[in-house]
Amino acid sequence: MQRQQPPILPPLYQLYQQQPTKAEGASLRAGQQSRKVGLGACRQMAHRELMNMGAANKSSLAELLLSFFVLHQPIPVLVQAGYRVIAPDLKGFGQSDKPQDASLYIMPNLLKDVVGILDQLDVQKVHCVVGHDWGAALAWQLAGRFPKRFERLVALSVGHNASMFSLGGNRQREKSWYMLFFKFPGVSEKGLQRNNWALMRQLWFTDEPQVAEDYIADLSKPGALTAALNWYRANVQLEQFGDTKPRPAPLLRCPVLGVWSTRDAGVLEEQMTASARYVEDGKWQYHQIHDAGHWIPRDAPNELNDLLINFLKSTALSKL
């Protein structure tokens, strides 16, 4: 029997507002490739997981890690602790497909990618979805839209989309200026690459030249930079920058752990702590990591690993 396709969902900023427009629906249907959408768009499954999980771990319950670049550090620790870990290269990154059409990156398509992967692997429930940066934005939506499939959520750095600018105010708008810059196709690609990627080095890697080389090498691959920018072009809406009140959204009923780091230059603490209003009472936990930048998995891997293990093992919520 053929499994039911994941539902067609509206773009990120409309997920809790309305159904997709006719044009959006037609675009989604035209881009569907049956159940191959997940593995086709996110081709490289975490090969370390598939090699190491063993017969005892081939269950329908798994942990799902979602990130732009740097969420691979917890994989061996989680596997050693006995968990099955799935960490796909998301669309546009690593060895996954890198379509240049920004419309293919709207949140409904990204959600279908992930749900398609789980279907292909016969994973019926995810014990915990862990997301960082855009992976966190995706994880919030997965847990909210598929509550029967995702039992827990860990959001690193990025809180619930509905509270990003409304509570961060002008300070968050200033920090997020680059999102508007990324909305201009061609212009932002040229600007980032000009003078040997000088702007990217200046913005995010002033004190980390070797880290910069690693990211730049990845983004220099054919189509990679445009693919990365397409996440912003498809899902960051200009009207979001004018939000002065939190957007309405239904409560998440699963346990949620929000993690933010004190040296994060891109997002404020308020947008993470305010996410508690979108989680059912008693289900929200918050942990602040000191002396770490935005890339928590890279800057504080040991502290993060301990947080994940404790959160996964806990049956009753307690302060971490």
Side-chain angles (χ1 to χ4, degrees):
M1 180 181 296
Q2 187 175 15
R3 292 186 179 87
Q4 185 178 0
Q5 288 290 329
I8 296 176
L9 302 174
L12 177 60
Y13 77 103
Q14 293 179 343
L15 273 176
Y16 298 123
Q17 310 297 323
Q18 62 187 58
Q19 293 300 309
T21 65
K22 290 183 178 179
E24 290 163 350
S27 173
L28 283 172
R29 288 188 291 274
Q32 286 183 354
Q33 296 181 8
S34 186
R35 290 176 40 73
K36 296 181 180 178
V37 62
L39 292 178
C42 304
R43 211 178 293 148
Q44 185 189 37
M45 305 309 300
H47 61 276
R48 283 164 289 191
E49 176 265 335
L50 294 176
M51 290 193 311
N52 291 309
M53 66 185 185
N57 274 340
K58 291 183 179 178
S59 66
S60 60
L61 191 67
E63 321 308 322
L64 178 65
L65 306 185
L66 304 171
S67 181
F68 255 15
F69 293 107
V70 290
L71 198 48
H72 61 273
Q73 289 89 342
I75 292 176
V77 175
L78 292 173
V79 169
Q80 186 175 11
Y83 294 100
R84 179 183 182 184
V85 181
I86 301 170
D89 283 341
L90 295 174
K91 180 185 291 178
F93 293 96
Q95 296 185 37
S96 286
D97 293 349
K98 298 175 176 59
Q100 302 297 282
D101 182 353
S103 67
L104 298 177
Y105 291 80
I106 60 173
M107 189 57 65
N109 282 342
L110 302 176
L111 293 173
K112 288 192 296 181
D113 288 345
V114 175
V115 172
I117 288 172
L118 298 177
D119 286 346
Q120 291 282 350
L121 296 178
D122 290 323
V123 174
Q124 303 307 313
K125 275 187 177 292
V126 172
H127 183 214
C128 185
V129 55
V130 182
H132 177 260
D133 200 273
W134 270 112
L138 183 56
W140 279 104
Q141 300 304 325
L142 287 166
R145 300 298 294 192
F146 304 98
K148 294 182 179 180
R149 198 152 192 183
F150 296 89
E151 295 185 344
R152 295 180 179 223
L153 163 65
V154 176
L156 306 178
S157 301
V158 174
H160 197 290
N161 173 261
S163 65
M164 173 65 78
F165 297 106
S166 58
L167 296 174
N170 284 338
R171 288 180 60 216
Q172 185 60 63
R173 295 184 184 99
E174 290 171 358
K175 288 179 176 293
S176 300
W177 70 269
Y178 64 89
M179 296 184 182
L180 300 180
F181 178 55
F182 290 171
K183 296 284 283 185
F184 293 90
V187 175
S188 48
E189 281 92 339
K190 291 179 181 178
L192 289 170
Q193 295 178 86
R194 186 178 296 123
N195 297 326
N196 191 26
W197 299 81
L199 178 58
M200 176 168 283
R201 297 174 193 275
Q202 185 182 80
L203 289 175
W204 293 295
F205 303 109
T206 304
D207 301 321
E208 302 172 301
Q210 183 52 53
V211 175
E213 295 304 322
D214 294 339
Y215 286 110
I216 289 171
D218 194 71
L219 291 173
S220 297
K221 296 175 182 177
L225 179 57
T226 294
L229 297 177
N230 279 343
W231 281 68
Y232 296 89
R233 291 166 183 165
N235 297 299
V236 175
Q237 307 302 320
L238 297 179
E239 58 264 36
Q240 286 178 289
F241 278 75
D243 282 352
T244 56
K245 295 181 179 180
R247 293 174 178 252
L251 293 178
L252 273 72
R253 304 194 181 280
C254 67
V256 178
L257 171 62
V259 182
W260 180 83
S261 47
T262 57
R263 290 195 293 108
D264 194 316
V267 287
L268 297 174
E269 185 177 20
E270 289 86 343
Q271 55 83 39
M272 179 59 78
T273 55
S275 300
R277 69 176 60 208
Y278 300 107
V279 181
E280 190 176 74
D281 288 345
K283 299 292 183 67
W284 167 258
Q285 296 184 63
Y286 172 65
H287 182 87
Q288 184 185 94
I289 293 181
H290 294 278
D291 199 29
H294 178 71
W295 305 104
I296 293 172
R298 185 194 67 208
D299 291 355
N302 294 333
E303 186 171 354
L304 175 60
N305 291 339
D306 290 341
L307 281 172
L308 292 178
I309 294 295
N310 290 337
F311 186 66
L312 292 173
K313 287 183 176 180
S314 64
T315 53
L317 292 179
S318 59
K319 185 175 180 181
L320 294 178

